Amino acid sequence: MSNENKLIYPTVDLFVYDLAQGMGQDEEKISQNRQLFWQKIYGDKISATQLEQLKQAETETADYIELLGDKQVEKFEFNLDGYSYPVKLNDTYAALFNFSGVEVDEYNKFKPKEIDCLESLKKEVISRVNPSATIGQSLLVSGQLTANDQDALKTAQTCYSQLNLVPNAKWERDLKADGQFLGADFYELWLPPGDMGNIGQNYHVLICLFPHNSGESFDVTKEKLTKLYPHFLQLFAYRNKVIWAYTQSRPLKAELKGYPEKIQQIVDRLPAQVNAPKIDLKELQQSLVNSRTIFSVYANQISRLGEKENTIKTNLKNYDKRLKTIGEKMGSGPKAFKFMKSFSDFAQERYVWQVEADNRSLSAELRLLENAIQTIEGISEIERAKSDHALNVTIAAAGVGIATSGVAASVYAGQIKPPQNPIDAKVVFGLSMGVGFVLSVLSAIVLIAIGKKWR
């Protein structure tokens, strides 16, 4: 008689993801990222010398780097049936923590176990992830049914309830996809964080149950799953990075929403500043400084939001590609593993659409501010040109007057006899200054008239 509360060789695999190198991070921050990741594998015991040795593995030019080289895995402590498998996927650290409990002899290894052991297995692997993952994590639960008539669906439901992973877990709500692959039944359950949530509220579980009588030993069946691990490491990396990028975009949007009001205030003040009887150039310059400051901060935030949009789209595309690759390399065609496409459909409709809409609406405010800055700059240039023109007119008129008075004085002085007394010299000087003043005024009038006609 079947028992939906037992499994053969129940195993919990935790896939963990951390950022290795973020945008604009310096070498010190990258080194810190490296140290925090390796603490998950070796704990606080890791030394600077060991870190430097581990750093050398990252110099390999490949999209998928096994960071422990030929060793591949770091086994858990004595008598624990588990290991960690660290890799690097481009700019991301990834690690698989595999745990099946306390080691037993080969005779008892594949004896049925109560499914309630899953919670303790889960706690053990999660306790090793310290500090917590910066990008996200996914859980895989696997095992073999104990009898041919054991109900896979009911057993999977029992597994999910025993994990106690999701607060108020509900099978009907959380089950997003199911299908068969490599002869096993797969059930995918997940609960994404809300728009105001954080990456720690991202719950993802994949349950894989192999049939009892598959015509092959469980060692062979387990080997199939082991070959899937590298594919899952990459597939879950793309998945978690999509959710991580979206959760990061929400605070950015919240910050940006405070700027449109400030921008509108600048735009609303412009007509009064432009149409004033006398434009206050100093006030206009201050408004320009404020506008440029806001523009610089706002444009930077918009750029970061665009970066998150690109991250979501790129990883979503890679997620779909990896689904096809798994089907082609491990199954019977590119569509063999397609039942897990429900996530990309969800993300396309929820995440991509939302971030695109946010970028469009918030970028419109940026263009509005840019237009306001150009307007203020244009008015300032006109006012400065007016001031410069008035000054040039004054200087030119004065120059004409001074030059004319000098000429007049010279001519007049040449036509009269040398003065018999000082009074005649004063007369000459007075006449020359009078002529200069009259001509200065006439020059100014003519220059202003020409300037108006030119404008």
Side-chain angles (χ1 to χ4, degrees):
M1 186 173 180
S2 66
N3 187 346
E4 279 73 37
N5 295 316
K6 289 188 176 183
L7 273 180
I8 295 172
Y9 203 70
T11 302
V12 170
D13 292 291
L14 184 65
F15 298 79
V16 176
Y17 301 95
D18 287 297
L19 194 63
Q21 184 173 352
M23 187 73 71
Q25 291 185 343
D26 57 20
E27 189 57 41
E28 182 179 354
K29 180 59 178 173
I30 293 169
S31 297
Q32 184 183 12
N33 294 342
R34 183 181 298 112
Q35 179 174 356
L36 292 175
F37 172 72
W38 283 107
Q39 281 181 8
K40 295 178 174 64
I41 311 299
Y42 294 107
D44 295 331
K45 299 176 292 183
I46 190 165
S47 65
T49 304
Q50 191 177 8
L51 271 174
E52 189 60 33
Q53 291 173 346
L54 293 167
K55 178 183 176 181
Q56 299 306 312
E58 298 181 31
T59 59
E60 183 183 338
T61 55
D63 296 333
Y64 186 102
I65 304 172
E66 293 182 322
L67 293 173
L68 294 179
D70 295 335
K71 184 181 177 183
Q72 292 190 325
V73 303
E74 184 69 31
K75 290 187 176 181
F76 287 179
E77 302 89 283
F78 175 72
N79 89 337
L80 292 183
D81 186 9
Y83 61 85
S84 57
Y85 172 59
V87 301
K88 190 178 182 188
L89 311 171
N90 294 312
D91 65 348
T92 304
Y93 289 122
L96 163 64
F97 294 86
N98 174 285
F99 188 51
S100 302
V102 177
E103 282 190 339
V104 295
D105 57 69
E106 289 298 319
Y107 178 77
N108 292 306
K109 190 173 186 178
F110 298 125
K111 278 191 172 182
K113 293 181 182 178
E114 295 290 335
I115 289 178
D116 59 10
C117 73
L118 289 176
E119 184 175 12
S120 63
L121 298 181
K122 177 209 71 177
K123 285 182 178 179
E124 175 63 32
V125 292
I126 288 180
S127 68
R128 293 173 179 269
V129 183
N130 185 26
S132 58
T134 55
I135 292 179
Q137 60 189 36
S138 295
L139 207 65
L140 170 66
V141 173
S142 62
Q144 186 179 35
L145 301 178
T146 60
N148 292 333
D149 61 348
Q150 185 173 349
D151 192 302
L153 174 60
K154 289 182 180 179
T155 305
Q157 290 172 337
T158 304
C159 290
Y160 190 58
S161 64
Q162 290 295 331
L163 281 172
N164 286 324
L165 181 70
V166 180
N168 302 315
K170 295 179 181 178
W171 178 270
E172 294 77 13
R173 178 198 64 193
D174 303 338
L175 179 66
K176 299 299 191 296
D178 62 273
Q180 286 197 329
F181 188 69
L182 300 179
D185 291 293
F186 282 84
Y187 304 89
E188 186 181 30
L189 302 103
W190 42 275
L191 199 62
D195 278 7
M196 301 306 293
N198 58 61
I199 202 64
Q201 297 170 324
N202 172 28
Y203 302 104
H204 177 225
V205 182
L206 184 63
I207 299 173
C208 169
L209 300 177
F210 287 93
H212 176 66
N213 187 10
S214 60
E216 55 190 25
S217 68
F218 187 63
D219 278 330
V220 176
T221 301
K222 187 170 174 287
E223 184 65 25
K224 288 182 180 179
L225 191 60
T226 303
K227 288 181 179 179
L228 270 174
Y229 286 156
H231 293 292
F232 282 160
L233 270 166
Q234 295 172 85
L235 183 71
F236 297 159
Y238 301 138
R239 183 190 198 284
N240 280 282
K241 286 189 84 171
V242 166
I243 297 174
W244 169 75
Y246 182 74
T247 56
Q248 285 204 321
S249 75
R250 297 307 85 198
L252 280 175
K253 179 187 176 182
E255 289 177 31
L256 285 164
K257 284 177 71 175
Y259 285 94
E261 184 178 353
K262 297 177 183 178
I263 294 170
Q264 196 59 50
Q265 289 173 356
I266 292 170
V267 173
D268 290 343
R269 283 198 302 267
L270 269 180
Q273 291 175 316
V274 172
N275 298 320
K278 184 179 180 182
I279 292 177
D280 188 335
L281 193 58
K282 187 176 181 180
E283 180 188 353
L284 211 59
Q285 288 296 322
Q286 186 58 51
S287 181
L288 182 61
V289 169
N290 294 339
S291 299
R292 282 176 171 167
T293 302
I294 292 173
F295 182 87
S296 176
V297 177
Y298 194 76
N300 180 59
Q301 297 292 72
I302 286 287
S303 176
R304 290 178 62 196
L305 188 61
E307 176 197 329
K308 303 307 173 191
E309 180 183 338
N310 290 334
T311 299
I312 292 171
K313 288 180 176 179
T314 300
N315 283 278
L316 207 51
K317 187 177 180 180
N318 289 334
Y319 180 89
D320 287 337
K321 284 183 178 179
R322 182 53 53 178
L323 286 179
K324 292 180 180 178
T325 300
I326 293 173
E328 290 171 346
K329 292 189 175 181
M330 300 290 296
S332 55
K335 295 183 179 180
F337 204 63
K338 202 174 181 179
F339 62 87
M340 287 187 66
K341 196 178 182 300
S342 60
F343 171 72
S344 58
D345 293 337
F346 165 83
Q348 183 68 41
E349 183 178 341
R350 173 81 178 273
Y351 298 154
V352 174
W353 181 88
Q354 184 63 61
V355 178
E356 281 181 342
D358 294 340
N359 252 325
R360 282 196 302 269
S361 62
L362 293 167
S363 294
E365 296 291 339
L366 186 65
R367 289 190 291 273
L368 186 64
L369 180 59
E370 191 173 18
N371 290 338
I373 289 172
Q374 290 175 351
T375 301
I376 295 171
E377 286 176 337
I379 296 167
S380 299
E381 287 298 323
I382 291 172
E383 290 303 308
R384 276 197 296 268
K386 285 181 181 178
S387 299
D388 293 345
H389 181 71
L391 181 61
N392 289 336
V393 167
T394 303
I395 293 171
V400 169
I402 291 169
T404 305
S405 63
V407 171
S410 299
V411 171
Y412 186 76
Q415 291 177 349
I416 62 174
K417 295 179 181 180
Q420 299 299 316
N421 55 62
I423 295 175
D424 293 331
K426 292 179 180 177
V427 170
V428 172
F429 177 76
L431 286 173
S432 66
M433 291 304 294
V435 172
F437 174 75
V438 172
L439 288 174
S440 293
V441 172
L442 290 174
S443 299
I445 293 171
V446 172
L447 288 170
I448 290 170
I450 292 171
K452 285 183 178 180
K453 186 175 181 181
W454 178 79
R455 287 198 296 274

